[in-house]
Amino acid sequence: MPVFKLCLKIINKNKMVMMVYILAFVMVSFIVRSFNKPSEGLTTYSDTKVSIAIISEEDTPLTKGIETALSRIAEVKSLEGYEDNLKETIQDALYFRALHMVITIPEGFTDAILAGEPMTIKAQSVPGSVESMQVNLLINQYLNLARLYVTADEAIGADALASAIASVMDQPAEVTIINPNPDAVQGDLMPFFFNYLAYSYMFVMILGVSSIMLVFNRKVIKWRNACGPMPSLNMSAQLLLAIAVFAVVVWLILVTLCLVFDSQNAFKTNTLYFMLNAAIFGISVLGLSFLLANLIKGKDASSAVANIITLSTCFLSGVFVPQAFLGEGVLKVASYFPTYWYVKANTQIAVLTRFSFASLKEILGIFLIELGFAAAFIIVSLAVGKRNQLRT
Amino acid sequence: MVVKVNQLVKRYGDLLALDHLSFEVAEGEIFGLLGPNGSGKTTAINCILSLLKYDKGDVSVFGKPMTPESNDLKRDIGIVMQEVAVFDELTVYENIDYFCGLYVPDKKARKLLVEEAIQFVGLEDFKKFYPKKLSGGLLRRLNIACGIAHKPKLIILDEPTVAVDPQSRNKILEGIVALNKQGATIIYTSHYMEEVEQICSRIMILDKGNIVATGTKDALKGMISLGEKITVETFDLTTAQVDAMRSLPNILEVIDQAGVLTIRSAKGKNNLENVLEALKREHISFGKIHSELPTLNDVFLEITGKELRD
């Protein structure tokens, strides 16, 4: 198989440039992995407490009850010693996030509650603070319970009311983390590696295929080969076989690197789909490489075209920046490239928890789109090849 | 006949590149295709090899019609193209092995053939060199080795000595004669008349896609009226002496310029003898004297009215 061997030798001659892009993949993956330790997922639960301060203008069983209830979800800090400049102290504490909330229970609070009159608790909090919402909810719950008990028993005293509310609110809530699919990908490293794979794979393929085609498309070589007794179909088959072997080898190298860098998720079902997606993407990149190889006229141009096409499509398609952060217009343009669909499939594969046909339907549709791109590229490159042939 | 071309017509748009060209090449010949640049030599070769589609005519090789799919015929044809057709990515050995591999699938047999071809063109010391490291002459030799390694019965060489140093040129020409002695039929195209005269047993002169003349070199020279050209180094000739030379029988033209007397004679016997006698008779003292038989260029000049090398 002289043509097959020759193709491999041509690739071997150009391996250094391609290795640079494989090495870039290794470097970036290594750096990303170093900064993002693989997540172990949600397997345990522990309470976190927010910092609050309570200024109570009266001291009754009911105010103490509120303090006790709040202390279960918050770390109650004292403001004693700051009475002289209380206002500034509170403002500074909130500004520097030393406190998330300051609650003031006004004088007459207990009497108003027991009389069934409306009463508000003043609260100052960090604007937009999620933690303060949690405290607000608990205070509302406490006041609602108090109102409920007073409505039910108008003669209830402060002690009895406080202990009745405490008996309800002291009931601890048990939290159990349920992981419906332990097979699902944990963390976002694997999707990142597979997305980034598109950049190196595309560049290496365009460069590799064009280096072969540039040699075989030289008119004098074409004619010299045509003088030989080997049928052109046989020659084309050997050439295609060599390119297919090249594509599979590059795919294997890049996929292996992805698995090594996120070995925790290497044996998940999702990873199999990532690999399949990369293989299908490889087919469409092969088609694109054929097309470009028929258009490119020189070796220097092939490197430049590989860089421009690879970088631009990867940037637009969400390889470097997640698609969620890209504008609608950008994504619309990107959807004309297979890279966009490859990244989109990866994003969906990453969150897959079930692998039924219904769950996979959309992803399989994307695979078909990628294959459609491959077919379109090959048809256009055949047309371009035919046109070039007619010109010579 | 090894090659038979019948009424071949090839047009490039409005340009008629081959005008009803017909010729035959017999087994064991070194057949020369001679003509200026653009005369249609390479077009004729490309049509014979079915690399170009032609408008009219027939081409047969080894008695069978030649088509792009005639792979059985191609097996016995070796081609050395005008432009060097080798791979920069392969060494000298690998290049010859690749092209030989198109014809000879057996690895062992091929190895022997490749070694033989390397030895034949004298590239033993350059086996591991890449083409870019070779001089123009060595590159041409590699081109030839790639075309002949599989020991074809018919070898077509299209201007194989273009831009080659004299040493490599001689080596190439000697090689072609040797291949012919080994039994190969050769078609050799060139615009260098000396080369064609030196090695070809039969010559066809082409001009603008038409055959100007065909035959052996002697037969071609016999077609014209011109005899030898005699040049004499002289000192201070008088007009009377020059006129005396002009009056000699069978003399067509006498030019006295810068101490050199150039005498062109018509075809005939004793021209040189007559000139020498006249020099003695007229008391013309002379230095060097040189007699030159008509060349293929003279043939071309007389038939077409222009120089072969334009």
Side-chain angles (χ1 to χ4, degrees):
Chain A
M1 296 220 286
V3 177
F4 177 79
K5 281 186 199 166
L6 172 61
C7 292
L8 296 189
K9 278 176 186 165
I10 294 169
I11 289 169
N12 191 40
K13 268 261 164 187
N14 292 284
K15 68 175 179 229
M16 287 315 289
V17 190
M18 295 181 227
M19 284 298 288
V20 168
Y21 283 82
I22 304 266
L23 276 175
F25 179 76
V26 174
M27 296 276 282
V28 170
S29 303
F30 186 77
I31 291 165
V32 169
R33 192 178 184 280
S34 305
F35 283 100
N36 297 278
K37 293 288 177 201
S39 156
E40 289 180 358
L42 285 173
T43 53
T44 56
Y45 170 82
S46 65
D47 285 341
T48 54
K49 292 189 170 184
V50 295
S51 299
I52 62 167
I54 301 172
I55 303 164
S56 185
E57 290 172 357
E58 61 178 30
D59 187 12
T60 67
L62 217 52
T63 59
K64 282 203 171 84
I66 288 181
E67 282 180 34
T68 310
L70 285 172
S71 67
R72 245 181 276 120
I73 62 156
E75 191 186 337
V76 182
K77 290 184 175 171
S78 170
L79 289 172
E80 270 179 39
Y82 297 102
E83 288 83 357
D84 294 341
N85 51 352
L86 192 60
K87 193 179 171 187
E88 288 78 9
T89 304
I90 289 170
Q91 280 175 347
D92 285 350
L94 288 173
Y95 182 78
F96 291 109
R97 305 298 193 264
L99 291 172
H100 289 100
M101 200 172 196
V102 177
I103 295 154
T104 306
I105 304 172
E107 200 174 352
F109 169 78
T110 306
D111 291 342
I113 290 289
L114 289 173
E117 290 167 5
M119 172 55 67
T120 53
I121 291 176
K122 191 181 162 195
Q124 290 169 270
S125 64
V126 174
S129 160
V130 177
E131 292 84 353
S132 62
M133 293 290 290
Q134 201 184 352
V135 176
N136 276 331
L137 281 172
L138 195 125
I139 293 168
N140 284 340
Q141 190 187 2
Y142 194 94
L143 295 177
N144 286 339
L145 278 170
R147 230 169 266 129
L148 199 69
Y149 277 109
V150 170
T151 312
D153 180 6
E154 287 179 359
I156 195 166
D159 281 327
L161 181 59
S163 63
I165 296 168
S167 67
V168 175
M169 294 192 72
D170 278 354
Q171 305 250 341
E174 199 174 311
V175 178
T176 308
I177 302 292
I178 299 167
N179 189 354
N181 185 9
D183 207 29
V185 170
Q186 307 296 334
D188 51 7
L189 278 182
M190 192 64 96
F192 173 81
F193 292 146
F194 269 94
N195 279 352
Y196 191 71
L197 172 148
Y199 173 64
S200 301
Y201 200 11
M202 211 167 168
F203 185 88
V204 171
M205 283 303 294
I206 293 173
L207 214 62
V209 173
S210 59
S211 66
I212 291 173
M213 297 306 287
L214 275 174
V215 171
F216 279 91
N217 280 344
R218 265 178 66 200
K219 188 184 161 190
V220 66
I221 293 292
K222 237 182 203 177
W223 278 26
R224 182 63 188 84
N225 279 332
C227 290
M230 188 178 280
S232 58
L233 203 67
N234 185 349
M235 224 172 245
S236 304
Q238 287 188 38
L239 197 135
L240 279 176
L241 181 66
I243 289 172
V245 167
F246 170 61
V248 170
V249 169
V250 178
W251 175 83
L252 267 175
I253 292 170
L254 291 172
V255 163
T256 306
L257 287 171
C258 287
L259 301 186
V260 167
F261 279 113
D262 191 3
S263 53
Q264 191 197 2
N265 288 309
F267 300 102
K268 300 278 168 66
T269 312
N270 303 58
T271 305
L272 274 178
Y273 282 94
F274 281 134
M275 288 161 69
L276 179 63
N277 189 27
I280 292 169
F281 177 68
I283 297 170
S284 63
V285 167
L286 205 64
L288 177 66
S289 307
F290 263 119
L291 174 61
L292 294 174
N294 274 313
L295 295 170
I296 293 167
K297 299 289 174 210
K299 207 169 180 177
D300 294 337
S302 79
S303 186
V305 168
N307 262 316
I308 292 166
I309 297 279
T310 308
L311 272 175
S312 58
T313 54
C314 286
F315 265 116
L316 291 174
S317 303
V319 167
F320 306 122
V321 181
Q323 285 184 346
F325 296 155
L326 297 172
E328 209 174 303
V330 174
L331 292 176
K332 187 94 182 159
V333 174
S335 68
Y336 292 101
F337 301 104
T339 320
Y340 166 82
W341 298 98
Y342 169 72
V343 173
K344 191 173 180 178
N346 277 345
T347 311
Q348 294 194 15
I349 291 167
V351 295
L352 268 185
T353 52
R354 288 178 187 182
F355 298 93
S356 62
F357 179 73
S359 320
L360 290 169
K361 205 174 161 187
E362 201 176 337
I363 291 167
L364 294 176
I366 295 175
F367 287 173
L368 283 177
I369 293 172
E370 287 178 49
L371 288 172
F373 271 105
F377 288 140
I378 288 167
I379 289 166
V380 177
S381 62
L382 285 175
V384 172
K386 189 85 185 164
R387 187 200 63 180
N388 290 346
Q389 210 169 15
L390 288 173
R391 278 185 183 173
T392 55
Chain B
M1 284 297 153
V2 174
V3 177
K4 192 174 178 184
V5 175
N6 185 34
Q7 296 292 310
L8 197 63
V9 176
K10 171 69 188 171
R11 289 175 191 279
Y12 294 110
D14 292 334
L15 180 80
L16 185 60
L18 297 177
D19 186 6
H20 296 87
L21 193 72
S22 296
F23 66 92
E24 291 177 350
V25 180
E27 194 176 347
E29 271 192 311
I30 301 182
F31 185 78
L33 266 174
L34 182 67
N37 289 330
S39 59
K41 305 183 295 290
T42 301
T43 302
I45 295 298
N46 289 337
C47 287
I48 292 171
L49 291 167
S50 278
L51 293 173
L52 280 178
K53 282 182 187 170
Y54 41 86
D55 301 287
K56 267 186 197 171
D58 307 299
V59 175
S60 65
V61 178
F62 303 121
K64 292 178 184 172
M66 182 72 180
T67 66
E69 290 79 33
S70 303
N71 294 322
D72 53 333
L73 298 180
K74 287 180 185 176
R75 208 169 288 281
D76 289 322
I77 302 173
I79 172 77
V80 178
M81 293 192 144
Q82 188 173 352
E83 197 180 332
V84 176
V86 295
F87 296 99
D88 291 338
E89 292 78 6
L90 301 182
T91 62
V92 164
Y93 186 95
E94 288 168 339
N95 261 299
I96 303 170
D97 186 54
Y98 169 81
F99 287 110
C100 192
L102 297 177
Y103 302 81
V104 184
D106 182 64
K107 204 174 174 181
K108 272 187 182 173
R110 198 166 70 234
K111 197 177 174 191
L112 287 173
L113 290 169
V114 172
E115 290 290 352
E116 217 174 302
I118 288 175
Q119 211 174 353
F120 184 80
V121 295
L123 286 175
E124 297 96 323
D125 298 334
F126 304 95
K127 275 186 206 176
K128 290 182 179 172
F129 277 53
Y130 284 95
K132 281 193 175 168
K133 298 278 177 191
L134 298 178
S135 68
L138 294 178
L139 205 56
R140 286 276 164 191
R141 288 198 224 170
L142 170 61
N143 199 29
I144 292 171
C146 291
I148 57 129
H150 60 288
K151 290 196 181 288
K153 289 179 189 164
L154 169 65
I155 302 171
I156 299 172
L157 299 111
D158 190 5
E159 309 233 18
T161 57
V162 171
V164 167
D165 58 281
Q167 193 192 345
S168 285
R169 179 176 292 193
N170 284 336
K171 179 95 185 161
I172 289 168
L173 296 178
E174 283 167 15
I176 292 165
V177 174
L179 285 168
N180 178 245
K181 281 183 181 163
Q182 286 168 19
T185 303
I186 313 275
I187 298 179
Y188 185 86
T189 83
S190 179
H191 62 271
Y192 296 129
M193 56 183 177
E194 304 89 348
E195 286 181 3
V196 175
E197 275 196 72
Q198 190 183 331
I199 65 166
C200 293
S201 50
R202 210 155 58 91
I203 300 159
M204 185 170 85
I205 301 176
L206 277 180
D207 184 40
K208 292 179 181 172
N210 287 293
I211 298 172
V212 172
T214 310
T216 62
K217 63 179 176 185
D218 290 334
L220 290 175
K221 287 175 185 176
M223 288 177 188
I224 58 171
S225 59
L226 197 68
E228 57 265 69
K229 181 172 87 175
I230 301 159
T231 45
V232 187
E233 197 182 62
T234 56
F235 311 97
D236 301 325
L237 279 181
T238 62
T239 313
Q241 285 171 323
V242 175
D243 288 342
M245 297 306 290
R246 280 194 183 117
S247 63
L248 285 173
N250 221 23
I251 295 299
L252 300 174
E253 188 182 29
V254 175
I255 303 165
D256 177 26
Q257 201 172 35
V260 177
L261 192 68
T262 305
I263 305 160
R264 286 185 181 276
S265 62
K267 202 155 53 179
K269 286 179 181 173
N270 306 325
N271 285 333
L272 181 60
E273 204 180 323
N274 291 341
V275 168
L276 285 170
E277 275 176 14
L279 289 171
K280 202 174 173 184
R281 193 169 58 240
E282 296 295 326
H283 305 289
I284 300 171
S285 40
F286 59 92
K288 291 175 191 166
I289 185 160
H290 179 72
S291 171
E292 198 182 325
L293 286 168
T295 63
L296 290 175
N297 189 44
D298 296 318
V299 176
F300 193 80
L301 183 68
E302 188 164 319
I303 297 174
T304 65
K306 60 185 180 186
E307 296 273 342
L308 193 56
R309 282 182 198 158
D310 44 5

